[in-house]
Amino acid sequence: MKNRKRLLLFLLSLPVLMTGPAFSGDFDGSNALTGSVDRLIEINRLRVIEGVDPDTVGLPEKFIIDFRENTLRGTPDSLVRRVVRIKRIEHIEDKLILLGADEGMAGTSSGLGWSLSIEKPSGKAVLSAAGSGIAYVAFGTCTPIRGGK
């Protein structure tokens, strides 16, 4: 009788156990992602600046992550036209983490290292980037592009 109850309980809970977050399979690198920056903070040696416009620091407000090319680039309507290479991709717990380094503008010391952490269940994203005496933290959201373009 106990075994039958356990089996019934298991079978009833199976649909709940099998349902995962709607997007989690889409954050495995098989589909490109589109994203947007909702909030950007600049931190330097003197102060913290809230509400920074992403375009002014070379970060597109709307972007595409292309896993086939290992790139992050602005959308076609973006003011920022740079393409940044993704050096490493990690799947840790329920997160997709992208890592990179960017030389920045030619002739300047604006190079920096960056990481983008995307929560697979929700698509919420945090970008952190640091260079010479400056750091940026951006909060945003990523969603899968069906068909993977």
Side-chain angles (χ1 to χ4, degrees), residues 2-39:
K2 276 188 175 182
N3 286 342
R4 201 179 289 181
K5 283 184 180 179
R6 285 183 184 160
L7 179 61
L8 181 59
L9 182 61
F10 173 75
L11 291 175
L12 289 173
S13 63
L14 196 55
V16 174
L17 295 173
M18 292 180 69
T19 58
F23 290 133
S24 65
D26 293 323
F27 290 99
D28 62 0
S30 61
N31 288 315
L33 304 176
T34 184
S36 63
V37 176
D38 302 324
R39 180 177 174 208

Side-chain angles (χ1 to χ4, degrees), residues 28-60:
D28 62 0
S30 61
N31 288 315
L33 304 176
T34 184
S36 63
V37 176
D38 302 324
R39 180 177 174 208
L40 179 61
I41 301 168
E42 179 180 311
I43 305 155
N44 62 47
R45 291 185 176 112
L46 302 174
R47 61 187 176 164
V48 175
I49 305 168
E50 292 271 355
V52 176
D53 179 2
D55 293 325
T56 63
V57 298
L59 177 65

Side-chain angles (χ1 to χ4, degrees), residues 55-112:
D55 293 325
T56 63
V57 298
L59 177 65
E61 187 173 345
K62 295 180 181 174
F63 56 89
I64 296 170
I65 299 169
D66 184 335
F67 292 106
R68 285 187 218 142
E69 299 290 325
N70 277 351
T71 59
L72 188 150
R73 67 180 185 279
T75 58
D77 61 340
S78 177
L79 297 175
V80 177
R81 296 289 179 202
R82 320 173 50 191
V83 175
V84 177
R85 291 217 106 351
I86 300 167
K87 306 284 185 192
R88 187 170 172 178
I89 300 172
E90 294 285 338
H91 295 270
I92 299 173
E93 298 167 352
D94 64 344
K95 294 171 196 69
L96 171 61
I97 299 178
L98 312 177
L99 303 167
D102 186 37
E103 291 183 20
M105 308 276 276
T108 69
S109 61
S110 61
L112 47 78

